[in-house]
Amino acid sequence: DLMCGVCVDITERKHLEQQALLSDMLEAMPIPVFSKDRQGCYLAFNRAFEHFFGTSRRELIGKSVFDISPPELAAVYHQKDEELFTSGGVQRYESKVKNAGGDMRDVIFSKAVTSDSFGNVTGLIGAVLDITERKRTEAQMAQTDRLASIGMLAAGVAHEINNPLAYVQYNLETIVDTL
């Protein structure tokens, strides 16, 4: 009995399939996602990022935040990136960004370092969550709560004033009746 067989290494194919799946997932996400190298230059981002910021891959790849953001915001983003590169791990913070329409938006940045097989930091990956509407709603609710508190305070003050006035009025009526 002679056995013949063919061994095919499918490791590379499986790796390519995993990369394609990851790429498809990132493209399907409605949240802007990006990656940068250790020098802070953009390496990649998804369609949601392009749409939110009104830019294309061709315009952004290889650029830094100083090339695409207002100077005061670029300084903040760069400082936060450097803090993340130094400390490692994950970073989450609120900031502002200018979107494709030129509007300032409140956002939460969630970022994490990327590393090579030796554990050396090679860059970062991040996501941008627009919380502008949530903050507006929270501000409106806070205003409503303040107005309700003022209304309750006014009602309490009116009650406190009316009690002694009612007593005075009753006494005045009693005095007038006895005259």
mmCIF file of all heavy atoms in Angstrom, residues 23 26-27 32-37 41-47 49-50 57 60-63 124-126:
data_model
loop_
_atom_site.group_PDB
_atom_site.id
_atom_site.type_symbol
_atom_site.label_atom_id
_atom_site.label_comp_id
_atom_site.label_asym_id
_atom_site.label_seq_id
_atom_site.Cartn_x
_atom_site.Cartn_y
_atom_site.Cartn_z
ATOM 1 N N SER A 23 -10.949 44.283 6.853
ATOM 2 C CA SER A 23 -11.119 45.457 5.995
ATOM 3 C C SER A 23 -12.604 45.698 5.702
ATOM 4 O O SER A 23 -13.085 46.833 5.777
ATOM 5 C CB SER A 23 -10.345 45.259 4.699
ATOM 6 O OG SER A 23 -10.557 46.348 3.841
ATOM 7 N N LEU A 26 -14.356 47.132 8.836
ATOM 8 C CA LEU A 26 -14.038 48.547 9.048
ATOM 9 C C LEU A 26 -14.770 49.441 8.057
ATOM 10 O O LEU A 26 -15.266 50.502 8.413
ATOM 11 C CB LEU A 26 -12.532 48.782 8.954
ATOM 12 C CG LEU A 26 -11.711 48.279 10.131
ATOM 13 C CD1 LEU A 26 -10.224 48.423 9.848
ATOM 14 C CD2 LEU A 26 -12.079 49.008 11.413
ATOM 15 N N GLU A 27 -14.854 49.012 6.805
ATOM 16 C CA GLU A 27 -15.555 49.803 5.792
ATOM 17 C C GLU A 27 -17.048 49.886 6.081
ATOM 18 O O GLU A 27 -17.688 50.881 5.770
ATOM 19 C CB GLU A 27 -15.314 49.228 4.393
ATOM 20 C CG GLU A 27 -13.930 49.505 3.859
ATOM 21 C CD GLU A 27 -13.601 50.989 3.758
ATOM 22 O OE1 GLU A 27 -14.445 51.788 3.344
ATOM 23 O OE2 GLU A 27 -12.466 51.362 4.116
ATOM 24 N N PRO A 32 -16.321 56.833 12.092
ATOM 25 C CA PRO A 32 -15.005 57.092 11.485
ATOM 26 C C PRO A 32 -13.881 56.378 12.236
ATOM 27 O O PRO A 32 -13.759 56.508 13.453
ATOM 28 C CB PRO A 32 -14.851 58.606 11.592
ATOM 29 C CG PRO A 32 -16.254 59.125 11.686
ATOM 30 C CD PRO A 32 -17.007 58.079 12.461
ATOM 31 N N VAL A 33 -13.089 55.611 11.505
ATOM 32 C CA VAL A 33 -11.962 54.862 12.065
ATOM 33 C C VAL A 33 -10.717 55.214 11.251
ATOM 34 O O VAL A 33 -10.798 55.367 10.032
ATOM 35 C CB VAL A 33 -12.217 53.336 12.005
ATOM 36 C CG1 VAL A 33 -11.016 52.555 12.513
ATOM 37 C CG2 VAL A 33 -13.458 52.973 12.811
ATOM 38 N N PHE A 34 -9.568 55.342 11.937
ATOM 39 C CA PHE A 34 -8.323 55.724 11.261
ATOM 40 C C PHE A 34 -7.141 55.038 11.911
ATOM 41 O O PHE A 34 -7.234 54.533 13.026
ATOM 42 C CB PHE A 34 -8.132 57.249 11.320
ATOM 43 C CG PHE A 34 -8.033 57.779 12.719
ATOM 44 C CD1 PHE A 34 -6.794 57.958 13.329
ATOM 45 C CD2 PHE A 34 -9.171 58.093 13.445
ATOM 46 C CE1 PHE A 34 -6.698 58.437 14.634
ATOM 47 C CE2 PHE A 34 -9.090 58.570 14.756
ATOM 48 C CZ PHE A 34 -7.848 58.748 15.342
ATOM 49 N N SER A 35 -6.012 55.034 11.199
ATOM 50 C CA SER A 35 -4.755 54.569 11.792
ATOM 51 C C SER A 35 -3.648 55.542 11.396
ATOM 52 O O SER A 35 -3.710 56.188 10.353
ATOM 53 C CB SER A 35 -4.414 53.149 11.350
ATOM 54 O OG SER A 35 -4.107 53.111 9.981
ATOM 55 N N LYS A 36 -2.656 55.633 12.282
ATOM 56 C CA LYS A 36 -1.497 56.500 12.061
ATOM 57 C C LYS A 36 -0.228 55.728 12.372
ATOM 58 O O LYS A 36 -0.238 54.806 13.190
ATOM 59 C CB LYS A 36 -1.537 57.720 12.992
ATOM 60 C CG LYS A 36 -2.691 58.664 12.788
ATOM 61 C CD LYS A 36 -2.592 59.810 13.802
ATOM 62 C CE LYS A 36 -3.766 60.748 13.745
ATOM 63 N NZ LYS A 36 -3.645 61.807 14.778
ATOM 64 N N ASP A 37 0.870 56.155 11.748
ATOM 65 C CA ASP A 37 2.157 55.563 12.077
ATOM 66 C C ASP A 37 2.728 56.245 13.324
ATOM 67 O O ASP A 37 2.110 57.148 13.896
ATOM 68 C CB ASP A 37 3.119 55.619 10.885
ATOM 69 C CG ASP A 37 3.491 57.041 10.454
ATOM 70 O OD1 ASP A 37 3.302 58.010 11.233
ATOM 71 O OD2 ASP A 37 3.975 57.187 9.316
ATOM 72 N N CYS A 41 1.488 60.208 11.080
ATOM 73 C CA CYS A 41 0.963 60.355 9.718
ATOM 74 C C CYS A 41 -0.114 59.298 9.467
ATOM 75 O O CYS A 41 0.040 58.137 9.852
ATOM 76 C CB CYS A 41 2.085 60.197 8.698
ATOM 77 S SG CYS A 41 3.299 61.532 8.804
ATOM 78 N N TYR A 42 -1.168 59.728 8.805
ATOM 79 C CA TYR A 42 -2.274 58.814 8.525
ATOM 80 C C TYR A 42 -1.844 57.710 7.577
ATOM 81 O O TYR A 42 -1.230 57.961 6.545
ATOM 82 C CB TYR A 42 -3.462 59.569 7.925
ATOM 83 C CG TYR A 42 -4.190 60.404 8.951
ATOM 84 C CD1 TYR A 42 -3.885 61.758 9.099
ATOM 85 C CD2 TYR A 42 -5.153 59.843 9.771
ATOM 86 C CE1 TYR A 42 -4.529 62.524 10.046
ATOM 87 C CE2 TYR A 42 -5.806 60.605 10.719
ATOM 88 C CZ TYR A 42 -5.495 61.947 10.859
ATOM 89 O OH TYR A 42 -6.135 62.701 11.805
ATOM 90 N N LEU A 43 -2.209 56.472 7.943
ATOM 91 C CA LEU A 43 -1.922 55.301 7.117
ATOM 92 C C LEU A 43 -3.181 54.823 6.393
ATOM 93 O O LEU A 43 -3.108 54.406 5.243
ATOM 94 C CB LEU A 43 -1.407 54.152 7.979
ATOM 95 C CG LEU A 43 -0.073 54.358 8.683
ATOM 96 C CD1 LEU A 43 0.216 53.191 9.621
ATOM 97 C CD2 LEU A 43 1.035 54.494 7.644
ATOM 98 N N ALA A 44 -4.301 54.858 7.096
ATOM 99 C CA ALA A 44 -5.546 54.323 6.530
ATOM 100 C C ALA A 44 -6.740 54.871 7.309
ATOM 101 O O ALA A 44 -6.592 55.324 8.442
ATOM 102 C CB ALA A 44 -5.539 52.799 6.604
ATOM 103 N N PHE A 45 -7.904 54.803 6.654
ATOM 104 C CA PHE A 45 -9.156 55.120 7.334
ATOM 105 C C PHE A 45 -10.309 54.586 6.514
ATOM 106 O O PHE A 45 -10.140 54.210 5.354
ATOM 107 C CB PHE A 45 -9.309 56.617 7.617
ATOM 108 C CG PHE A 45 -9.047 57.510 6.440
ATOM 109 C CD1 PHE A 45 -10.078 57.935 5.636
ATOM 110 C CD2 PHE A 45 -7.762 57.928 6.141
ATOM 111 C CE1 PHE A 45 -9.835 58.761 4.556
ATOM 112 C CE2 PHE A 45 -7.514 58.758 5.065
ATOM 113 C CZ PHE A 45 -8.565 59.179 4.269
ATOM 114 N N ASN A 46 -11.503 54.528 7.134
ATOM 115 C CA ASN A 46 -12.651 53.939 6.454
ATOM 116 C C ASN A 46 -13.504 55.002 5.755
ATOM 117 O O ASN A 46 -13.231 56.197 5.845
ATOM 118 C CB ASN A 46 -13.488 53.100 7.435
ATOM 119 C CG ASN A 46 -14.115 53.919 8.548
ATOM 120 O OD1 ASN A 46 -13.912 55.117 8.661
ATOM 121 N ND2 ASN A 46 -14.883 53.260 9.390
ATOM 122 N N ARG A 47 -14.551 54.530 5.055
ATOM 123 C CA ARG A 47 -15.442 55.435 4.312
ATOM 124 C C ARG A 47 -16.135 56.429 5.240
ATOM 125 O O ARG A 47 -16.355 57.579 4.863
ATOM 126 C CB ARG A 47 -16.505 54.635 3.565
ATOM 127 C CG ARG A 47 -16.028 54.114 2.257
ATOM 128 C CD ARG A 47 -17.189 53.508 1.454
ATOM 129 N NE ARG A 47 -16.681 52.413 0.666
ATOM 130 C CZ ARG A 47 -16.856 51.125 0.935
ATOM 131 N NH1 ARG A 47 -17.577 50.753 1.947
ATOM 132 N NH2 ARG A 47 -16.320 50.209 0.164
ATOM 133 N N PHE A 49 -14.977 57.821 7.827
ATOM 134 C CA PHE A 49 -14.018 58.891 8.085
ATOM 135 C C PHE A 49 -13.999 59.860 6.915
ATOM 136 O O PHE A 49 -14.063 61.081 7.106
ATOM 137 C CB PHE A 49 -12.626 58.306 8.328
ATOM 138 C CG PHE A 49 -11.621 59.285 8.855
ATOM 139 C CD1 PHE A 49 -11.353 59.343 10.210
ATOM 140 C CD2 PHE A 49 -10.928 60.145 8.012
ATOM 141 C CE1 PHE A 49 -10.416 60.244 10.709
ATOM 142 C CE2 PHE A 49 -9.998 61.041 8.498
ATOM 143 C CZ PHE A 49 -9.740 61.094 9.857
ATOM 144 N N GLU A 50 -13.942 59.314 5.700
ATOM 145 C CA GLU A 50 -13.947 60.155 4.499
ATOM 146 C C GLU A 50 -15.197 61.030 4.457
ATOM 147 O O GLU A 50 -15.118 62.218 4.175
ATOM 148 C CB GLU A 50 -13.915 59.290 3.235
ATOM 149 C CG GLU A 50 -12.586 58.645 2.950
ATOM 150 C CD GLU A 50 -12.634 57.813 1.683
ATOM 151 O OE1 GLU A 50 -13.287 56.756 1.694
ATOM 152 O OE2 GLU A 50 -12.005 58.241 0.696
ATOM 153 N N ARG A 57 -8.967 59.252 0.726
ATOM 154 C CA ARG A 57 -7.726 58.562 1.099
ATOM 155 C C ARG A 57 -6.522 59.210 0.425
ATOM 156 O O ARG A 57 -5.493 59.407 1.046
ATOM 157 C CB ARG A 57 -7.822 57.085 0.712
ATOM 158 C CG ARG A 57 -8.723 56.282 1.599
ATOM 159 C CD ARG A 57 -8.868 54.846 1.084
ATOM 160 N NE ARG A 57 -9.577 54.014 2.035
ATOM 161 C CZ ARG A 57 -10.897 53.907 2.078
ATOM 162 N NH1 ARG A 57 -11.642 54.556 1.220
ATOM 163 N NH2 ARG A 57 -11.473 53.142 2.981
ATOM 164 N N LEU A 60 -5.349 62.303 2.209
ATOM 165 C CA LEU A 60 -4.966 62.221 3.607
ATOM 166 C C LEU A 60 -3.786 61.305 3.905
ATOM 167 O O LEU A 60 -3.031 61.567 4.835
ATOM 168 C CB LEU A 60 -6.174 61.771 4.438
ATOM 169 C CG LEU A 60 -6.044 61.915 5.936
ATOM 170 C CD1 LEU A 60 -5.817 63.369 6.318
ATOM 171 C CD2 LEU A 60 -7.274 61.393 6.626
ATOM 172 N N ILE A 61 -3.622 60.241 3.150
ATOM 173 C CA ILE A 61 -2.561 59.279 3.446
ATOM 174 C C ILE A 61 -1.208 59.999 3.449
ATOM 175 O O ILE A 61 -0.870 60.745 2.544
ATOM 176 C CB ILE A 61 -2.550 58.127 2.409
ATOM 177 C CG1 ILE A 61 -3.875 57.370 2.434
ATOM 178 C CG2 ILE A 61 -1.358 57.187 2.634
ATOM 179 C CD1 ILE A 61 -4.227 56.704 3.750
ATOM 180 N N GLY A 62 -0.453 59.774 4.538
ATOM 181 C CA GLY A 62 0.866 60.374 4.670
ATOM 182 C C GLY A 62 0.864 61.752 5.312
ATOM 183 O O GLY A 62 1.918 62.304 5.609
ATOM 184 N N LYS A 63 -0.314 62.321 5.544
ATOM 185 C CA LYS A 63 -0.406 63.650 6.156
ATOM 186 C C LYS A 63 -0.571 63.510 7.669
ATOM 187 O O LYS A 63 -0.989 62.480 8.183
ATOM 188 C CB LYS A 63 -1.603 64.405 5.588
ATOM 189 C CG LYS A 63 -1.539 64.554 4.077
ATOM 190 C CD LYS A 63 -1.587 65.989 3.666
ATOM 191 C CE LYS A 63 -1.316 66.131 2.196
ATOM 192 N NZ LYS A 63 -2.461 66.491 1.429
ATOM 193 N N LEU A 124 -0.912 53.916 15.906
ATOM 194 C CA LEU A 124 -2.159 53.861 16.665
ATOM 195 C C LEU A 124 -3.329 53.648 15.727
ATOM 196 O O LEU A 124 -3.244 53.877 14.527
ATOM 197 C CB LEU A 124 -2.362 55.136 17.489
ATOM 198 C CG LEU A 124 -2.515 56.486 16.781
ATOM 199 C CD1 LEU A 124 -3.958 56.722 16.321
ATOM 200 C CD2 LEU A 124 -2.134 57.602 17.743
ATOM 201 N N ILE A 125 -4.425 53.186 16.314
ATOM 202 C CA ILE A 125 -5.697 53.093 15.611
ATOM 203 C C ILE A 125 -6.713 53.838 16.466
ATOM 204 O O ILE A 125 -6.603 53.844 17.697
ATOM 205 C CB ILE A 125 -6.130 51.630 15.357
ATOM 206 C CG1 ILE A 125 -7.379 51.607 14.480
ATOM 207 C CG2 ILE A 125 -6.312 50.855 16.645
ATOM 208 C CD1 ILE A 125 -7.683 50.247 13.887
ATOM 209 N N GLY A 126 -7.642 54.512 15.820
ATOM 210 C CA GLY A 126 -8.607 55.298 16.585
ATOM 211 C C GLY A 126 -9.968 55.350 15.927
ATOM 212 O O GLY A 126 -10.124 55.020 14.750
#
